[in-house]
Amino acid sequence: MKRILFSNWHLMRIFRMAFALFLFYQAYATRHWFFVAFGVFFLFQAVFNMGCGPNSCTVNYKNQKNE
């Protein structure tokens, strides 16, 4: 768990963390609390390094049959 949290921080992961913090601030400043749900979503992606990163959402075409 410690390895997941403290390694492999790339630009997109940092951007997700910054965007989550921005959404939390906006929720507090504007009192529109639905921003918290979006902030939690991006925070979860940043902390656990989930989501579409470099080449993680590509389709593997080698296993498909040509018909």
Side-chain angles (χ1 to χ4, degrees):
M1 183 67 159
K2 195 176 197 181
R3 183 180 54 85
I4 292 172
L5 295 177
F6 295 114
S7 66
N8 197 19
W9 280 87
H10 46 81
L11 182 63
M12 194 63 202
R13 193 171 176 188
I14 294 169
F15 178 75
R16 286 183 191 124
M17 179 66 78
F19 193 59
L21 295 175
F22 171 74
L23 288 172
F24 290 141
Y25 172 74
Q26 284 299 313
Y28 178 74
T30 63
R31 303 282 192 237
H32 292 175
W33 299 111
F34 64 90
F35 285 130
V36 172
F38 295 112
V40 167
F41 173 73
F42 284 106
L43 182 68
F44 179 79
Q45 282 189 336
V47 168
F48 294 109
N49 198 17
M50 299 183 126
C52 289
N55 297 326
S56 65
C57 290
T58 59
V59 177
N60 188 3
Y61 290 107
K62 293 179 184 177
N63 293 334
Q64 294 180 355
K65 291 183 179 180
N66 292 332
E67 294 184 36

